[in-house]
């Protein structure tokens, strides 16, 4: 039977519940257990797919095509588990399902209530998401005391009671602030946070105490006494200079031993050799330093490009290179000129939606192409590369995407209305379709063309990468681009959709329709990003 570790947070948000949950899962996995993780999001949106990145950060896409919270990216980067639609759900999804059942008459005309109907649906989803794992780490978004999270916490209270103390426990992440003027830490916020938990019937079994300085034994005893948590289960979590040190830090503080004792489990000793290698790479002397310009429109919030930032960092680890990311607002390139591009060793244009900053992104592509510095275009970044090439190399003046200009004379990119699925079915979409959940989503095969740079990078004829987009390349205009030197290096399963392009007469110019950042991992990197950073080093040193 699956064991559950429920993870909540208190005092303030952004303490790092996602990293803490992922790190615990990494420790348990290092001890030979099969682990999965779930994120329960209290907001009423059905999914993060239509939410602004400025509010929510990036939308992470799972292998099976769910648009999810960015914490699922942490889960996959810290473990070998592959997340799916079952691993993330929101209040909106729960209420939507309950209301559908009520409309069908499933409740036989009874009054539909938060308890038991909403809480039962939450429990059903948690149990389904945890199925098959030895341990499921279940994170609840927000902080204790938020009105939005109360149904989730009540559902977890019921699950904890039903599963029993040997199969479920609650791990609470809280802040222990250090006041420099007083020269001491304060435990009162943690006491009040646990008191808030108790008021809704939940007792913390483990406390992860975030602090910028060490929490001494006397402070841990005090926290234990006033929160009714065993002293050995009061775990200090100090600020770390690398998130990849956190799993081993938790282990050295006895977190996994305590949890496994509670669960009556005795798996193998922890093997941290892979994480030790990642940390060693992170702090090793690097052969070179390169500056990559990320040209987008969400540059004020770096979490909007969380997986991309991580993927570039992983590439640095695996190519022994310091990678400095320069965030460049595409609109600034339109209004202030391209001077920021002159200091770069490589250019990356990421995915995005809408027409804001488009001409700035096209200017960045043009600069990278003409100045022969490595260019990587992802999703919208591929569209911009093809539009720039069409305008400035092929002479197709005004070439554009119908997403930004429905009346363009040369629609290089257009809204695809149907495409074949891997199972042979047909997905259909039109301008009246809902905005959310109607994109081409999830992992799909890409067939690489022999003799191309892309084929050499991946070392395989067929790859799988994750998609998230509505617009595709208009194949009727592809011959005009190919005639001037652009190579189509990757195609979809039915050879009907362009997946990758490159320029063979450029040191390194590659663009893809999919999002390779979602499958980059610290322990393995990603071939496309590693090749991109290697090229930046080579061009800089040439």
């Amino acid at each position: 039977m699956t064991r559950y570790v429920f993870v909540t947070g208190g005092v303030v948000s952004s303490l790092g519940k996602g990293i803490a949950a992922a790190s615990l899962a990494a420790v348990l996995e290092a001890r030979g257990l099969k682990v999965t993780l779930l994120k329960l999001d209290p907001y009423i949106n059905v999914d993060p797919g239509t939410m602004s990145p400025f509010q929510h950060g990036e939308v992470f896409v799972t292998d099976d095509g769910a648009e999810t919270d960015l914490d699922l990216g942490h889960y996959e980067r810290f473990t070998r588990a592959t997340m799916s639609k079952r691993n993330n759900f929101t209040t909106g999804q729960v209420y939507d399902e309950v209301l559908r059942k009520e409309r069908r008459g499933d409740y036989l005309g009874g009054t539909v209530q938060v308890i038991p109907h909403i809480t039962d649906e939450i429990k059903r989803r948690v149990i389904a998401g945890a199925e098959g794992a030895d341990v499921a780490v279940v994170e609840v978004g927000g902080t204790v005391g938020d009105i939005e999270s109360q149904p989730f916490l009540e559902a977890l209270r019921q699950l904890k009671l039903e599963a029993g103390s040997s199969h479920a426990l609650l791990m609470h992440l809280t802040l222990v602030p250090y006041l420099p003027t007083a020269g001491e830490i304060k435990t009162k916020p943690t006491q009040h946070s646990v008191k808030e938990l108790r008021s809704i019937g939940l007792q913390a079994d483990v406390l992860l105490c975030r602090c910028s300085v060490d929490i001494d034994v006397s402070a841990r005893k005090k926290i234990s006494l006033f929160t009714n948590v065993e002293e050995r289960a009061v775990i200090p979590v100090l600020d770390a200079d690398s998130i990849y040190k956190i799993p081993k830090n938790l282990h050295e503080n006895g977190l996994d031993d305590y949890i496994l004792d509670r669960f009556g489990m005795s798996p193998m000793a922890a093997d941290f050799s892979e994480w030790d290698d990642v940390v060693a790479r992170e702090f090793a002397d690097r052969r070179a330093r390169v500056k990559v310009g990320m040209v987008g429109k969400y540059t004020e919030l770096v979490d909007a490009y969380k997986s991309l930032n991580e993927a570039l960092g992983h590439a640095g680890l695996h190519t022994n290179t310091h990678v400095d990311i320069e965030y460049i607002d595409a609109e600034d390139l339109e209004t202030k000129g391209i001077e920021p591009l002159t200091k770069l060793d490589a250019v990356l244009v990421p995915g995005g939606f809408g027409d804001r900053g488009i001409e700035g992104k096209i200017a960045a592509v043009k600069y990278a192409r003409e100045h022969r510095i490595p260019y990587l275009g992802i999703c919208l970044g591929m569209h911009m590369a093809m539009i720039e090439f069409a305008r400035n190399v092929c002479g197709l003046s005004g070439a554009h995407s119908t997403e930004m200009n429905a009346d363009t004379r040369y629609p290089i990119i257009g809204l695809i209305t149907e495409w074949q699925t891997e199972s042979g079915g047909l997905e259909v979409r039109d301008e009246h379709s809902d905005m959310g959940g109607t994109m081409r989503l999830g992992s799909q095969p890409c067939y690489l063309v022999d003799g191309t740079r892309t084929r050499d990078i991946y070392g395989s004829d067929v790859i799988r990468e994750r998609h998230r987009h509505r617009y595709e390349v208009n194949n009727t205009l592809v011959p005009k681009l190919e005639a001037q030197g652009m190579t189509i290096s990757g195609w979809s399963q039915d050879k009907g959709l362009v997946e990758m392009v490159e320029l063979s007469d450029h040191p390194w110019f590659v663009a893809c329709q999919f999002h390779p950042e979602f499958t980059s991992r610290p322990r393995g990197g990603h071939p496309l990003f590693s090749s991109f950073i290697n090229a930046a080093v080579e061009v800089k040193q040439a």
Side-chain angles (χ1 to χ4, degrees), residues 247-488:
K248 194 169 185 179
N249 289 348
L250 294 179
H251 169 69
E252 290 173 344
N253 278 288
L255 176 61
D256 51 316
D257 284 335
Y258 176 80
I259 290 173
L260 294 172
D261 285 350
R262 277 283 305 269
F263 288 162
M265 304 173 78
S266 302
M268 68 181 194
D271 179 5
F272 284 101
S273 56
E274 290 182 326
W275 291 111
D276 289 340
D277 177 63
V278 169
V279 172
R281 288 173 181 268
E282 193 164 17
F283 290 94
D285 292 334
R286 308 288 178 97
R287 57 169 177 157
R289 181 181 293 272
V290 296
K291 182 177 288 186
V292 176
M294 192 180 298
V295 183
K297 66 176 185 177
Y298 308 120
T299 53
E300 295 174 15
L301 180 68
V302 296
D303 269 0
Y305 301 115
K306 185 64 179 177
S307 290
L308 265 177
N309 299 336
E310 293 294 321
L312 290 169
H314 302 161
L317 294 180
H318 290 276
T319 63
N320 194 28
T321 308
H322 279 294
V323 179
D324 299 321
I325 304 174
E326 184 83 12
Y327 299 99
I328 299 173
D329 191 321
E331 287 185 291
D332 287 346
L333 298 181
E334 296 174 353
T335 58
K336 301 177 183 178
I338 63 170
E339 194 274 335
L341 302 175
T342 63
K343 304 171 185 176
L344 303 176
D345 301 308
V347 172
L348 190 157
V349 175
F353 299 92
D355 60 1
R356 186 162 61 84
I358 287 300
E359 294 303 323
K361 294 176 184 179
I362 291 173
V365 176
K366 185 173 187 286
Y367 181 88
R369 181 178 59 80
E370 291 183 342
H371 288 80
R372 299 179 64 77
I373 65 173
Y375 174 79
L376 174 59
I378 295 175
C379 198
L380 183 65
M382 185 182 89
H383 298 174
M384 298 301 98
M386 299 183 76
I387 290 168
E388 189 280 327
F389 193 84
R391 289 181 183 179
N392 299 316
V393 178
C394 302
L396 304 180
S397 179
H400 220 310
S401 166
T402 59
E403 180 182 7
M404 293 87 189
N405 181 3
D407 300 319
T408 176
R409 182 180 177 186
Y410 300 109
I412 301 298
I413 309 296
L415 178 67
I416 184 171
T417 57
E418 61 181 45
W419 66 93
Q420 186 177 346
T421 65
E422 195 172 353
S423 62
L426 199 65
E427 289 279 351
V428 179
R429 174 182 57 208
D430 62 32
E431 65 273 16
H432 303 297
S433 298
D434 289 343
M435 183 174 291
T438 59
M439 292 183 279
R440 189 172 162 218
L441 289 164
S443 177
Q444 297 174 28
C446 171
Y447 292 78
L448 303 181
V449 177
D450 248 356
T452 60
R453 180 191 302 276
T454 303
R455 171 63 181 77
D456 291 341
I457 289 171
Y458 277 96
S460 177
D461 294 325
V462 184
I463 59 173
R464 296 192 68 90
E465 295 282 9
R466 300 179 190 180
H467 294 69
R468 182 178 181 251
H469 57 94
R470 293 186 182 89
Y471 290 80
E472 302 275 359
V473 176
N474 176 6
N475 289 347
T476 62
L477 292 175
V478 164
K480 293 183 181 294
L481 278 65
E482 290 180 310
Q484 296 299 319
M486 178 168 279
T487 300
I488 309 302

Side-chain angles (χ1 to χ4, degrees), residues 504-521:
S504 58
D505 62 349
H506 189 282
W508 204 97
F509 191 107
V510 176
C512 54
Q513 181 65 84
F514 46 76
H515 289 265
E517 67 269 26
F518 292 144
T519 51
S520 179
R521 304 288 179 265

